Amino acid sequence: MKKYDFIIAGGGMAGLSLAYYFTQSPLRDRSILILDQELKNSNDRTWCFWERSQGPANPFEAILFRSWNTVSFHGTSFAGPLDMGHYRYKMLRGIDFYNFLQNELAKYPTIERKQATINRIKDTPQGGFVIANDEPYIADYVFDSTFLLKLDQPENHNLLQHFKGWVITTEKACFNPEQPEIMDFRIDQQGDCRFVYILPFTQKTALVEFTLFNENLLTEAEYDTQLRQYISLFLDTGAYEINETEYGVIPMSDVETQEILSEHIVRIGTSGGYTKASTGYTFQRTQRYLQSIVRNINQTGKPQRPVSWFKKRFKLYDSIFLNVLEKHRHPADDIFTRVYTKNIRRVFTFLDEDTRFIDELRLFATMPFMPFLRAFFDVLRRKITN
Ligand SMILES: Cc1cc2nc3c(=O)[nH]c(=O)nc-3n(C[C@H](O)[C@H](O)[C@H](O)COP(=O)(O)OP(=O)(O)OC[C@H]3O[C@@H](n4cnc5c(N)ncnc54)[C@H](O)[C@@H]3O)c2cc1C
């Protein structure tokens, strides 16, 4: 049996990005096998993320679908544009990402891609062992993005971010293509956190997405009703046509993930716990973490990413925030209004986990004190008793 240097189990966002970063490093001639059950040839999702305009060049800059300087927000006591300062909000379509990376990876004869369903991944003394479509494969390292997180552990907060969106084309010009709406809370919260998210492409075309943070998925018809209601109440569309549909569920959980599972198996992407638990944003973190893994393998031969002890405080903040949401300690629309309107200079840096502790204290000071204090003690209790 051929032994690969690396097997990438799951060639989605994280898997393809990892292979790409290998090709951009001194490890570019290593043998890599990418296994995925899908061909990844459809526009199955849209990624949005923010980035500093003066930062290092993003490898996907040339294939971005849209990039915006300003975002708009509609909360309980504020509605209007938010100045993002040095940040830009960017949108990348799944299909453009898959095509770009598959073309780039095809330039390397040492990279093989196979369409196959993975049945088993196992550590052995000889290396990471994978069975896919009943065929065995082995490698020095297996990077797994197919593992499903265990979202039923009572000691964790296990919310879901779930959403359904329509790309619509409208009769009347009703969108501002210069300003995506990151959260519009003008809908009945029903005790949850519910908002609409709009990515405008032209004055007459946009992705309009109904999003919830809670524990229970809705039926297809319920998402549709909410979308229809929002469009008729708040958008002066005239007649409209639905061109595409997007549905997704992202874990918002503080379950302890094992990124380095064993000597030869590393979990990456959502499987590796790369999703920011309090927001569901995963794309940029995955890019950062994978670049760090490749750098480390190159320098030390080992994939472990260095994570400073002090950085772990952000996990505590995420747990506290999830606790406030899960226990309905304070209306979510008011919390997000405070987060975005009173902290616009620091909120994106905070969500990137790049703030100084003093700035975090300033942000916390804008939050309702008692609900967050209670959440803090509940999180502490869960940690002590489990
Ligand atoms: C619709 C949608 C929109 C999103 N939008 C955003 C966003 O705007 N911003 C953001 O930061 N994050 C977003 N996310 C969250 C996150 O960025 C994506 O889920 C991202 O694709 C996660 O990357 P991944 O590699 O971990 O998983 P995936 O991209 O899902 O890749 C996993 C791959 O493994 C394959 N696979 C799974 N099981 C097997 C098996 N048994 N055998 C073989 N192959 C297998 C799958 O086919 C898939 O290709 C979104 C998620 C969804 C679902």
Side-chain angles (χ1 to χ4, degrees):
M1 192 193 327
K2 171 177 175 179
K3 188 173 187 191
Y4 292 90
D5 290 310
F6 310 122
I7 293 176
I8 297 180
M13 187 270 280
L16 291 174
S17 301
L18 177 63
Y20 177 75
Y21 292 124
F22 278 129
T23 68
Q24 303 302 299
S25 79
L27 305 168
R28 63 180 60 86
D29 57 352
R30 298 299 170 90
S31 58
I32 302 178
L33 172 65
I34 305 172
L35 295 166
D36 201 297
Q37 63 199 3
E38 294 175 11
L39 286 173
K40 309 307 285 182
N41 56 3
S42 69
N43 192 30
D44 62 359
R45 63 201 63 191
T46 305
W47 288 291
C48 281
F49 55 94
W50 54 86
E51 202 166 41
R52 280 178 192 273
S53 32
Q54 322 92 320
N58 158 356
F60 311 112
E61 199 63 25
I63 55 160
L64 290 177
F65 190 66
R66 289 288 183 278
S67 177
W68 295 279
N69 282 328
T70 315
V71 292
S72 148
F73 177 84
H74 212 124
T76 47
S77 56
F78 171 91
L82 299 175
D83 174 9
M84 295 185 74
H86 298 306
Y87 289 91
R88 288 181 70 81
Y89 198 67
K90 302 184 173 183
M91 171 187 169
L92 179 56
R93 297 190 324 150
I95 189 63
D96 298 331
F97 172 88
Y98 300 135
N99 286 343
F100 170 72
L101 285 191
Q102 287 170 5
N103 287 335
E104 284 297 310
L105 300 178
K107 295 176 187 164
Y108 295 83
T110 49
I111 300 183
E112 286 175 51
R113 289 182 59 227
K114 282 193 184 163
Q115 189 184 5
T117 299
I118 296 159
N119 315 106
R120 189 154 186 216
I121 299 178
K122 185 179 177 325
D123 210 329
T124 70
Q126 292 75 35
F129 185 73
V130 178
I131 298 185
N133 284 6
D134 297 328
E135 292 285 328
Y137 302 95
I138 192 161
D140 284 339
Y141 287 108
V142 173
F143 296 94
D144 179 15
S145 59
T146 66
F147 173 76
L148 294 175
L149 299 178
K150 291 194 170 58
L151 298 178
D152 56 357
Q153 310 300 303
E155 68 271 25
N156 298 126
H157 302 88
N158 295 305
L159 294 179
L160 299 170
Q161 175 173 150
H162 48 115
F163 48 88
K164 181 167 181 182
W166 291 336
V167 175
I168 56 172
T169 304
T170 61
E171 186 190 356
K172 296 189 192 169
C174 62
F175 300 113
N176 175 358
E178 302 303 319
Q179 255 176 50
E181 181 97 53
I182 52 167
M183 290 180 139
D184 184 345
F185 280 104
R186 283 176 296 172
I187 52 177
D188 184 2
Q189 296 294 294
Q190 299 189 22
D192 285 327
C193 174
R194 297 173 172 228
F195 59 92
V196 168
Y197 174 66
I198 303 180
L199 299 176
F201 308 154
T202 67
Q203 287 185 331
K204 291 185 172 186
T205 318
L207 170 63
V208 181
E209 204 148 68
F210 169 61
T211 307
L212 296 96
F213 297 171
N214 69 9
E215 288 158 308
N216 306 306
L217 301 183
L218 303 185
T219 63
E220 188 95 353
E222 285 172 310
Y223 295 105
D224 291 350
T225 306
Q226 294 289 335
L227 278 167
R228 243 181 254 115
Q229 267 177 14
Y230 178 86
I231 293 169
S232 77
L233 279 176
F234 302 114
L235 298 174
D236 185 16
T237 55
Y240 65 90
E241 213 174 90
I242 302 169
N243 310 118
E244 278 178 56
T245 297
E246 176 178 87
Y247 173 72
V249 182
I250 306 175
M252 294 178 74
S253 168
D254 52 4
V255 60
E256 274 301 324
T257 39
Q258 279 179 289
E259 183 183 4
I260 305 290
L261 182 67
S262 55
E263 200 182 340
H264 304 106
I265 301 176
V266 181
R267 288 182 180 148
I268 59 170
T270 305
S271 306
Y274 293 2
T275 300
K276 171 95 175 152
S278 54
T279 63
Y281 280 98
T282 315
F283 185 86
Q284 272 299 72
R285 287 157 72 89
T286 300
Q287 304 307 319
R288 271 198 199 188
Y289 293 180
L290 294 177
Q291 289 177 51
S292 171
I293 285 180
V294 170
R295 226 173 7 250
N296 251 31
I297 297 182
N298 184 35
Q299 286 167 0
T300 67
K302 300 268 177 217
Q304 272 84 354
R305 293 185 292 119
V307 182
S308 92
W309 173 87
F310 195 46
K311 275 255 172 189
K312 293 188 180 159
R313 69 191 185 279
F314 287 97
K315 281 192 178 295
L316 175 66
Y317 304 160
D318 284 338
S319 294
I320 295 170
F321 182 74
L322 291 179
N323 188 281
V324 171
L325 287 186
E326 190 185 278
K327 301 279 176 204
H328 307 284
R329 296 188 189 279
H330 191 83
D333 49 0
D334 180 57
I335 294 174
F336 279 104
T337 305
R338 292 171 188 238
V339 165
Y340 280 109
T341 59
K342 299 191 174 173
N343 298 284
I344 188 60
R345 291 269 160 242
R346 56 180 86 93
V347 63
F348 295 105
T349 318
F350 174 70
L351 296 176
D352 279 343
E353 305 185 353
D354 286 335
T355 30
R356 295 169 309 159
F357 187 56
I358 183 78
D359 292 319
E360 292 148 30
L361 293 180
R362 287 187 183 121
L363 188 144
F364 300 154
T366 65
M367 292 296 113
F369 183 69
M370 284 315 286
F372 276 79
L373 187 68
R374 286 196 192 98
F376 170 71
F377 282 114
D378 194 24
V379 168
L380 221 54
R381 180 191 59 75
R382 291 185 194 210
K383 286 196 185 299
I384 292 166
T385 53
N386 288 292

mmCIF file of all heavy atoms in Angstrom, residues 4-5 10 32 70 75 110 122 124 129 142 147 152 185 187 202 209 223 229 246 291 317 377:
data_model
loop_
_atom_site.group_PDB
_atom_site.id
_atom_site.type_symbol
_atom_site.label_atom_id
_atom_site.label_comp_id
_atom_site.label_asym_id
_atom_site.label_seq_id
_atom_site.Cartn_x
_atom_site.Cartn_y
_atom_site.Cartn_z
ATOM 1 N N TYR A 4 1.106 7.845 1.930
ATOM 2 C CA TYR A 4 1.124 9.270 1.599
ATOM 3 C C TYR A 4 1.781 10.039 2.745
ATOM 4 O O TYR A 4 1.800 9.582 3.887
ATOM 5 C CB TYR A 4 -0.305 9.795 1.408
ATOM 6 C CG TYR A 4 -1.002 9.233 0.194
ATOM 7 C CD1 TYR A 4 -1.758 8.062 0.282
ATOM 8 C CD2 TYR A 4 -0.906 9.871 -1.044
ATOM 9 C CE1 TYR A 4 -2.395 7.546 -0.835
ATOM 10 C CE2 TYR A 4 -1.544 9.354 -2.167
ATOM 11 C CZ TYR A 4 -2.281 8.195 -2.055
ATOM 12 O OH TYR A 4 -2.912 7.679 -3.160
ATOM 13 N N ASP A 5 2.252 11.236 2.418
ATOM 14 C CA ASP A 5 2.688 12.110 3.516
ATOM 15 C C ASP A 5 1.458 12.587 4.292
ATOM 16 O O ASP A 5 1.426 12.527 5.509
ATOM 17 C CB ASP A 5 3.465 13.313 2.969
ATOM 18 C CG ASP A 5 4.827 12.893 2.422
ATOM 19 O OD1 ASP A 5 5.537 12.191 3.156
ATOM 20 O OD2 ASP A 5 5.141 13.230 1.268
ATOM 21 N N GLY A 10 -11.985 14.752 3.665
ATOM 22 C CA GLY A 10 -12.967 15.827 3.516
ATOM 23 C C GLY A 10 -12.334 17.001 2.807
ATOM 24 O O GLY A 10 -11.532 17.734 3.394
ATOM 25 N N ILE A 32 0.007 14.056 -1.290
ATOM 26 C CA ILE A 32 -1.242 14.372 -0.571
ATOM 27 C C ILE A 32 -2.397 13.681 -1.274
ATOM 28 O O ILE A 32 -2.511 13.741 -2.502
ATOM 29 C CB ILE A 32 -1.499 15.895 -0.555
ATOM 30 C CG1 ILE A 32 -0.339 16.651 0.096
ATOM 31 C CG2 ILE A 32 -2.818 16.220 0.147
ATOM 32 C CD1 ILE A 32 -0.481 18.167 0.102
ATOM 33 N N THR A 70 -18.604 49.257 4.400
ATOM 34 C CA THR A 70 -19.556 49.577 5.467
ATOM 35 C C THR A 70 -20.592 48.470 5.544
ATOM 36 O O THR A 70 -20.940 47.889 4.520
ATOM 37 C CB THR A 70 -20.319 50.875 5.112
ATOM 38 O OG1 THR A 70 -19.391 51.815 4.650
ATOM 39 C CG2 THR A 70 -21.075 51.417 6.284
ATOM 40 N N GLY A 75 -31.022 47.442 14.940
ATOM 41 C CA GLY A 75 -31.211 46.868 16.273
ATOM 42 C C GLY A 75 -32.393 47.489 16.991
ATOM 43 O O GLY A 75 -33.282 48.055 16.359
ATOM 44 N N THR A 110 1.814 15.678 -7.293
ATOM 45 C CA THR A 110 1.883 14.896 -6.051
ATOM 46 C C THR A 110 0.567 14.950 -5.268
ATOM 47 O O THR A 110 0.440 14.329 -4.213
ATOM 48 C CB THR A 110 3.006 15.425 -5.137
ATOM 49 O OG1 THR A 110 2.847 16.836 -5.048
ATOM 50 C CG2 THR A 110 4.374 15.075 -5.672
ATOM 51 N N LYS A 122 -8.462 5.829 11.639
ATOM 52 C CA LYS A 122 -7.940 5.153 12.836
ATOM 53 C C LYS A 122 -6.447 5.434 12.943
ATOM 54 O O LYS A 122 -5.754 5.473 11.907
ATOM 55 C CB LYS A 122 -8.182 3.653 12.634
ATOM 56 C CG LYS A 122 -7.828 2.762 13.776
ATOM 57 C CD LYS A 122 -8.180 1.334 13.369
ATOM 58 C CE LYS A 122 -7.853 0.258 14.343
ATOM 59 N NZ LYS A 122 -6.746 0.266 15.167
ATOM 60 N N THR A 124 -2.741 4.177 13.838
ATOM 61 C CA THR A 124 -1.993 2.920 13.977
ATOM 62 C C THR A 124 -0.525 3.300 14.213
ATOM 63 O O THR A 124 -0.141 4.442 13.938
ATOM 64 C CB THR A 124 -2.069 2.062 12.692
ATOM 65 O OG1 THR A 124 -1.299 2.711 11.672
ATOM 66 C CG2 THR A 124 -3.494 1.867 12.208
ATOM 67 N N PHE A 129 -4.704 5.844 9.402
ATOM 68 C CA PHE A 129 -5.244 4.843 8.494
ATOM 69 C C PHE A 129 -6.687 5.238 8.165
ATOM 70 O O PHE A 129 -7.469 5.569 9.046
ATOM 71 C CB PHE A 129 -5.186 3.518 9.253
ATOM 72 C CG PHE A 129 -5.576 2.321 8.471
ATOM 73 C CD1 PHE A 129 -4.736 1.816 7.488
ATOM 74 C CD2 PHE A 129 -6.789 1.697 8.727
ATOM 75 C CE1 PHE A 129 -5.108 0.694 6.770
ATOM 76 C CE2 PHE A 129 -7.157 0.576 8.010
ATOM 77 C CZ PHE A 129 -6.318 0.081 7.025
ATOM 78 N N VAL A 142 -3.184 12.240 9.014
ATOM 79 C CA VAL A 142 -4.517 12.361 8.427
ATOM 80 C C VAL A 142 -5.152 13.625 9.012
ATOM 81 O O VAL A 142 -5.185 13.800 10.235
ATOM 82 C CB VAL A 142 -5.405 11.138 8.767
ATOM 83 C CG1 VAL A 142 -6.844 11.364 8.282
ATOM 84 C CG2 VAL A 142 -4.835 9.873 8.139
ATOM 85 N N PHE A 147 -15.383 14.627 10.876
ATOM 86 C CA PHE A 147 -15.891 14.234 12.201
ATOM 87 C C PHE A 147 -17.042 15.153 12.625
ATOM 88 O O PHE A 147 -16.943 16.379 12.511
ATOM 89 C CB PHE A 147 -14.748 14.312 13.225
ATOM 90 C CG PHE A 147 -15.185 14.082 14.638
ATOM 91 C CD1 PHE A 147 -15.482 12.808 15.097
ATOM 92 C CD2 PHE A 147 -15.327 15.157 15.511
ATOM 93 C CE1 PHE A 147 -15.897 12.603 16.412
ATOM 94 C CE2 PHE A 147 -15.723 14.964 16.822
ATOM 95 C CZ PHE A 147 -16.010 13.676 17.260
ATOM 96 N N ASP A 152 -24.432 16.879 22.207
ATOM 97 C CA ASP A 152 -25.470 16.474 23.158
ATOM 98 C C ASP A 152 -24.922 16.358 24.580
ATOM 99 O O ASP A 152 -25.515 15.717 25.431
ATOM 100 C CB ASP A 152 -26.076 15.128 22.710
ATOM 101 C CG ASP A 152 -25.002 14.066 22.554
ATOM 102 O OD1 ASP A 152 -23.809 14.406 22.744
ATOM 103 O OD2 ASP A 152 -25.339 12.914 22.237
ATOM 104 N N PHE A 185 -33.019 43.086 13.277
ATOM 105 C CA PHE A 185 -33.803 42.458 14.358
ATOM 106 C C PHE A 185 -35.276 42.854 14.365
ATOM 107 O O PHE A 185 -35.964 42.602 15.343
ATOM 108 C CB PHE A 185 -33.177 42.810 15.723
ATOM 109 C CG PHE A 185 -31.975 41.972 16.058
ATOM 110 C CD1 PHE A 185 -30.699 42.484 15.956
ATOM 111 C CD2 PHE A 185 -32.131 40.657 16.473
ATOM 112 C CE1 PHE A 185 -29.590 41.702 16.261
ATOM 113 C CE2 PHE A 185 -31.034 39.874 16.781
ATOM 114 C CZ PHE A 185 -29.762 40.396 16.674
ATOM 115 N N ILE A 187 -37.807 41.591 13.559
ATOM 116 C CA ILE A 187 -38.765 40.488 13.446
ATOM 117 C C ILE A 187 -39.066 39.957 14.843
ATOM 118 O O ILE A 187 -38.249 40.119 15.753
ATOM 119 C CB ILE A 187 -38.231 39.353 12.534
ATOM 120 C CG1 ILE A 187 -36.839 38.908 12.977
ATOM 121 C CG2 ILE A 187 -38.224 39.771 11.089
ATOM 122 C CD1 ILE A 187 -36.318 37.751 12.158
ATOM 123 N N THR A 202 -26.878 43.793 -6.303
ATOM 124 C CA THR A 202 -27.218 44.963 -7.121
ATOM 125 C C THR A 202 -28.424 45.605 -6.428
ATOM 126 O O THR A 202 -28.896 45.091 -5.406
ATOM 127 C CB THR A 202 -27.663 44.555 -8.550
ATOM 128 O OG1 THR A 202 -28.908 43.851 -8.453
ATOM 129 C CG2 THR A 202 -26.642 43.675 -9.255
ATOM 130 N N GLU A 209 -31.503 36.308 4.118
ATOM 131 C CA GLU A 209 -31.391 35.075 4.898
ATOM 132 C C GLU A 209 -32.039 35.252 6.272
ATOM 133 O O GLU A 209 -31.697 36.196 6.994
ATOM 134 C CB GLU A 209 -29.907 34.747 5.044
ATOM 135 C CG GLU A 209 -29.613 33.311 5.283
ATOM 136 C CD GLU A 209 -28.273 32.917 4.664
ATOM 137 O OE1 GLU A 209 -27.236 33.383 5.149
ATOM 138 O OE2 GLU A 209 -28.257 32.126 3.718
ATOM 139 N N TYR A 223 -39.290 28.425 7.829
ATOM 140 C CA TYR A 223 -38.280 29.380 7.325
ATOM 141 C C TYR A 223 -38.883 30.183 6.172
ATOM 142 O O TYR A 223 -38.702 31.401 6.075
ATOM 143 C CB TYR A 223 -37.031 28.653 6.796
ATOM 144 C CG TYR A 223 -36.229 27.896 7.816
ATOM 145 C CD1 TYR A 223 -36.290 26.509 7.882
ATOM 146 C CD2 TYR A 223 -35.376 28.554 8.699
ATOM 147 C CE1 TYR A 223 -35.542 25.795 8.803
ATOM 148 C CE2 TYR A 223 -34.611 27.849 9.626
ATOM 149 C CZ TYR A 223 -34.706 26.468 9.676
ATOM 150 O OH TYR A 223 -33.960 25.776 10.590
ATOM 151 N N GLN A 229 -42.615 36.865 4.984
ATOM 152 C CA GLN A 229 -43.132 37.965 5.824
ATOM 153 C C GLN A 229 -42.159 39.137 5.854
ATOM 154 O O GLN A 229 -42.547 40.290 5.703
ATOM 155 C CB GLN A 229 -43.315 37.474 7.255
ATOM 156 C CG GLN A 229 -44.713 36.969 7.517
ATOM 157 C CD GLN A 229 -44.823 36.419 8.933
ATOM 158 O OE1 GLN A 229 -43.974 36.640 9.788
ATOM 159 N NE2 GLN A 229 -45.890 35.676 9.174
ATOM 160 N N GLU A 246 -30.274 28.916 -0.044
ATOM 161 C CA GLU A 246 -29.160 28.443 0.794
ATOM 162 C C GLU A 246 -29.735 28.043 2.149
ATOM 163 O O GLU A 246 -30.530 28.782 2.728
ATOM 164 C CB GLU A 246 -28.127 29.552 0.979
ATOM 165 C CG GLU A 246 -27.007 29.146 1.931
ATOM 166 C CD GLU A 246 -25.921 30.197 2.113
ATOM 167 O OE1 GLU A 246 -26.079 31.071 2.975
ATOM 168 O OE2 GLU A 246 -24.908 30.119 1.417
ATOM 169 N N GLN A 291 -2.808 27.860 8.268
ATOM 170 C CA GLN A 291 -1.498 28.418 7.907
ATOM 171 C C GLN A 291 -0.512 28.153 9.038
ATOM 172 O O GLN A 291 0.653 27.850 8.797
ATOM 173 C CB GLN A 291 -1.613 29.914 7.646
ATOM 174 C CG GLN A 291 -2.362 30.198 6.349
ATOM 175 C CD GLN A 291 -2.555 31.686 6.090
ATOM 176 O OE1 GLN A 291 -1.615 32.457 6.139
ATOM 177 N NE2 GLN A 291 -3.758 32.093 5.828
ATOM 178 N N TYR A 317 -15.212 33.638 27.415
ATOM 179 C CA TYR A 317 -16.171 34.673 26.983
ATOM 180 C C TYR A 317 -17.271 34.042 26.110
ATOM 181 O O TYR A 317 -18.442 34.381 26.243
ATOM 182 C CB TYR A 317 -15.498 35.763 26.145
ATOM 183 C CG TYR A 317 -14.327 36.483 26.769
ATOM 184 C CD1 TYR A 317 -13.413 37.157 25.966
ATOM 185 C CD2 TYR A 317 -14.136 36.520 28.154
ATOM 186 C CE1 TYR A 317 -12.343 37.844 26.507
ATOM 187 C CE2 TYR A 317 -13.056 37.194 28.703
ATOM 188 C CZ TYR A 317 -12.157 37.846 27.868
ATOM 189 O OH TYR A 317 -11.091 38.521 28.400
ATOM 190 N N PHE A 377 -21.188 32.869 36.582
ATOM 191 C CA PHE A 377 -21.190 31.906 37.695
ATOM 192 C C PHE A 377 -21.739 30.544 37.254
ATOM 193 O O PHE A 377 -21.264 29.504 37.706
ATOM 194 C CB PHE A 377 -21.956 32.472 38.898
ATOM 195 C CG PHE A 377 -21.130 33.474 39.655
ATOM 196 C CD1 PHE A 377 -21.493 34.809 39.712
ATOM 197 C CD2 PHE A 377 -19.942 33.080 40.275
ATOM 198 C CE1 PHE A 377 -20.701 35.739 40.392
ATOM 199 C CE2 PHE A 377 -19.143 33.997 40.955
ATOM 200 C CZ PHE A 377 -19.528 35.339 41.007
#
